[in-house]
Amino acid sequence: MNLSIFFEPLNEDIFALLDKPRTLGAYIGRFTGKFPDWRSADIALIGVNEIRGRGEETASEIFPARAVRKKLYSLHKGAGRCNIVDLGNLRPGITLDDTYLRLKEIVEILISHNTIPVIIGGSHDLEYGQYMGYEHLERAVNMVAVDSSVDMSEDNDVPANKKQLRQILMHEPNYLFSLGQIGYQSYLVDPEVMATFEKLHFEAYRVGEVHRSIQEMEPVVRQADLLTFDIAAIRHQDAPGYTPANPFGLSGEEACQLCWYAGLSDQMTSLGIYEYDPEQDGQELTAMTIATMIWYFIEGFYHRKHETEFSSSKFTRYAVAFNNNPDRMTFFKSKVSEKWWMEVEPLSDEKSPRIVPCSYEDYLQAIKGEVPNRWILTQARIG
């Protein structure tokens, strides 16, 4: 399929000084004249200037990805390989729904060819299009959203970027197995929304929990097929390019750490970073933060260990006995990365066990005779 019809080529002028040796700009194949070979690429960058989800009447003429590209291209390449393309900017559809469908088609095609789309938006409701790109897989999908709020409003009068998670939950066919929310701030979230999360057995972590132990977020991210990141999750000091301003949130370093986890995960196949507003970013500090987040995602990707065969000699198996349900729990530890997984038995005999990422803390909790909350939530979702 000719993907170039969906994209606007990049302005060559902005890259004139960004092709210095050993920088990413010298290695990324970009759409300026000829469309790059996306089929053989590991990662494809996509700019989306769609902001009608914020309540704007038209798509923006200021491309959020432009400033991010300038910063990203100037960063030094890591020590490993680098097979990345920049497809340019996605042409918005006539309607917002048309843009969702265009993004869906692009994500679907790219992940079908094992190319990871990295989306630089645009309003956060675009994650709905990103999510729909997984419908063709015909299997359960895991999603993680990093955001200071939970965009699940039932109010029809609010902008689309305040209710896209409800769209995802109501989407048919339903192929969402788990939804993790990282970095939310309780005073920005309706308690009824969190009650819905609890009923659906989804994981949600307040920003304070991330501050206390960001390492506990690694298994949450490692389970996901797609990660979406609202820049409003980052405190204004580190990323001022969004409104309304918020002095609280993740640090830039924590945002980069989460993106490193995402890149490192064998299961992660798309990343979306949304709500960047260049007009609020006079010194382009947010652009630098986003560029660095993407840099860490890329570095993580090229450090993947491909740990999926739990019966192999690369894993150590631990069995923990219990006196009641469950009567035992099985854990797996990688001898290479030292990461942990656990096997969760279903409630129904008709369903198969599922091996999910966990932490060393989950294992320590189990040997104390306590069932980890991650295990309980996973079993409830399996049924």
Side-chain angles (χ1 to χ4, degrees):
M1 182 177 183
N2 182 15
L3 293 189
S4 65
I5 61 174
F6 292 101
F7 291 92
E8 297 175 352
L10 301 172
N11 186 342
E12 185 68 42
D13 293 343
I14 70 171
F15 304 109
L17 302 176
L18 300 179
D19 283 340
K20 296 179 180 179
R22 301 297 301 165
T23 63
L24 281 175
Y27 288 85
I28 296 176
R30 51 187 177 265
F31 181 26
T32 52
K34 182 181 178 182
F35 201 65
D37 181 13
W38 55 270
R39 289 179 178 84
S40 63
D42 297 320
I43 296 171
L45 304 176
I46 300 171
V48 187
N49 70 324
E50 178 64 84
I51 59 170
R52 284 175 286 186
R54 296 179 190 158
E56 304 288 343
E57 294 184 0
T58 60
S60 174
E61 295 182 0
I62 301 176
F63 289 80
R66 180 186 175 95
V68 175
R69 286 184 173 108
K70 288 171 62 179
K71 299 297 184 182
L72 178 64
Y73 279 44
S74 67
L75 299 180
H76 284 281
K77 172 187 167 295
R81 57 182 296 206
C82 183
N83 185 10
I84 303 172
V85 295
D86 190 334
L87 302 184
N89 297 307
L90 183 70
R91 300 179 189 272
I94 296 175
T95 67
L96 183 57
D97 285 339
D98 289 337
T99 302
Y100 295 155
L101 292 175
R102 286 189 181 186
L103 186 57
K104 167 190 181 292
E105 190 168 356
I106 296 301
V107 171
E108 177 180 321
I109 292 171
L110 289 175
I111 64 177
S112 295
H113 288 81
N114 298 316
T115 299
I116 296 180
V118 173
I119 305 156
I120 307 169
S123 49
H124 198 189
D125 54 293
L126 292 169
E127 72 176 354
Y128 181 45
Q130 182 182 347
Y131 169 76
M132 287 194 294
Y134 288 78
E135 187 172 325
H136 72 287
L137 297 179
E138 297 183 348
R139 65 165 176 82
V141 167
N142 303 300
M143 172 178 170
V144 168
V146 184
D147 198 347
S148 59
S149 60
V150 181
D151 299 328
M152 203 185 290
S153 175
E154 295 186 29
D155 187 351
N156 292 328
D157 295 328
V158 302
N161 67 345
K162 299 299 180 185
K163 55 187 177 184
Q164 75 275 1
L165 286 180
R166 186 162 297 280
Q167 279 184 291
I168 290 172
L169 293 177
M170 301 296 290
H171 183 78
E172 292 293 341
N174 177 20
Y175 47 91
L176 182 67
F177 177 73
S178 71
L179 172 61
Q181 180 85 22
I182 294 176
Y184 81 93
Q185 298 173 33
S186 299
Y187 39 83
L188 299 178
V189 181
D190 187 331
E192 292 186 4
V193 169
M194 299 318 299
T196 300
F197 251 69
E198 186 173 344
K199 289 177 183 177
L200 295 172
H201 312 292
F202 292 154
E203 294 183 71
Y205 298 90
R206 295 187 303 275
V207 66
E209 294 176 279
V210 182
H211 290 328
R212 282 195 297 272
S213 181
I214 194 169
Q215 293 82 5
E216 286 299 303
M217 302 303 107
E218 188 276 333
V220 183
V221 175
R222 182 160 32 109
Q223 185 175 1
D225 296 281
L226 65 154
L227 175 69
T228 76
F229 209 118
D230 189 323
I231 287 301
I234 305 175
R235 63 191 182 191
H236 200 254
Q237 302 95 301
D238 292 356
Y242 65 87
T243 54
N246 188 347
F248 307 108
L250 303 175
S251 68
E253 291 88 346
E254 288 167 334
C256 290
Q257 185 73 56
L258 293 173
C259 287
W260 165 260
Y261 291 153
L264 205 56
S265 170
D266 294 320
Q267 190 162 322
M268 185 70 63
T269 50
S270 74
L271 168 66
I273 301 177
Y274 302 107
E275 293 295 352
Y276 172 45
D277 184 356
E279 293 184 323
Q280 305 296 324
D281 195 31
Q283 297 182 322
E284 298 187 341
L285 177 60
T286 312
M288 186 62 188
T289 299
I290 296 173
T292 309
M293 290 164 61
I294 296 172
W295 187 92
Y296 272 100
F297 179 84
I298 293 170
E299 281 297 289
F301 174 82
Y302 286 114
H303 283 82
R304 289 187 175 186
K305 307 298 183 185
H306 306 292
E307 298 174 313
T308 55
E309 296 295 330
F310 297 99
S311 60
S312 73
S313 59
K314 294 180 180 180
F315 291 87
T316 302
R317 183 174 178 272
Y318 298 85
V320 180
F322 281 80
N323 294 324
N324 48 21
N325 185 32
D327 57 1
R328 72 170 185 175
M329 292 181 65
T330 303
F331 290 85
F332 300 89
K333 180 185 177 183
S334 167
K335 296 177 182 178
V336 178
S337 67
E338 298 189 344
K339 292 177 182 176
W340 289 78
W341 288 259
M342 61 184 175
E343 186 175 67
V344 180
E345 297 287 342
L347 293 168
S348 170
D349 293 335
E350 299 177 357
K351 297 184 178 180
S352 302
R354 182 182 284 259
I355 297 176
V356 299
C358 68
S359 68
Y360 179 55
E361 293 301 319
D362 292 318
Y363 171 71
L364 292 180
Q365 192 173 351
I367 62 177
K368 293 177 183 177
E370 302 172 6
V371 180
N373 187 58
R374 204 187 312 270
W375 195 97
I376 296 171
L377 293 177
T378 303
Q379 187 188 59
R381 290 196 298 268
I382 296 174

